[in-house]
Amino acid sequence: MAKNLTGTLQIVTANRLRDGSVVFLTQTAEWTSDIRRAAVARDAESATRLLGIGTVAAAESRVVDPYLTAVTEEGDDIMPVSLRERIRAQGLTFAAISADATRYL
């Protein structure tokens, strides 16, 4: 199970069992492919509660491998901290790779 626990804000992500799509847990305990609708945990207690909801969904065979990942918020946008999670959320793009690569220069 991949985890990125650096950062204060976190969301729960998983893969939908039916088709393998990347999904995010919403405030209403539904799963969406739109990261902007993801429920954001602002503290450890909220993160634990959201992950518990994700774990139940996995036990019900709705999703596979739910886990927490760190995010930042910029206005209404939610952006994963790690490159791996940005690719999962938005798809692979040259812009995402090159932006991340500049930190190694």
Side-chain angles (χ1 to χ4, degrees), residues 13 16 23-25 30 34 36 43 45 47-49 52 55-56 64-65 72 77-79 82 85 89 92-93 104:
T13 185
R16 189 169 34 228
V23 290
F24 307 95
L25 185 64
E30 299 298 321
D34 183 357
R36 295 171 297 184
D43 56 42
E45 183 179 322
T48 300
R49 181 181 58 79
T55 301
V56 168
V64 176
D65 195 24
T72 60
D77 291 332
I78 298 173
M79 180 64 70
S82 76
E85 295 303 326
L92 184 58
T93 68
Y104 298 105

Side-chain angles (χ1 to χ4, degrees), residues 4 20 33 38 44 50 55:
N4 177 3
S33 59
L50 291 175
T55 301

Side-chain angles (χ1 to χ4, degrees), residues 2-104:
K3 290 185 181 179
N4 177 3
L5 300 179
T6 58
T8 305
L9 306 177
Q10 297 183 56
I11 61 173
V12 175
T13 185
N15 290 88
R16 189 169 34 228
L17 186 61
R18 183 179 71 230
D19 60 7
S21 295
V22 174
V23 290
F24 307 95
L25 185 64
T26 69
Q27 283 294 103
T28 58
E30 299 298 321
W31 294 93
T32 180
S33 59
D34 183 357
I35 193 170
R36 295 171 297 184
R37 295 185 50 220
V40 178
R42 300 181 185 286
D43 56 42
E45 183 179 322
S46 298
T48 300
R49 181 181 58 79
L50 291 175
L51 186 56
I53 294 168
T55 301
V56 168
E60 295 171 346
S61 298
R62 295 188 314 169
V63 296
V64 176
D65 195 24
Y67 60 92
L68 294 165
T69 189
V71 296
T72 60
E73 286 183 310
E74 296 176 18
D76 291 336
D77 291 332
I78 298 173
M79 180 64 70
V81 171
S82 76
L83 177 61
R84 176 187 188 274
E85 295 303 326
R86 286 195 303 268
I87 292 169
R88 288 184 77 243
Q90 301 169 348
L92 184 58
T93 68
F94 180 76
I97 294 169
S98 62
D100 191 62
T102 60
R103 70 180 175 159
Y104 298 105

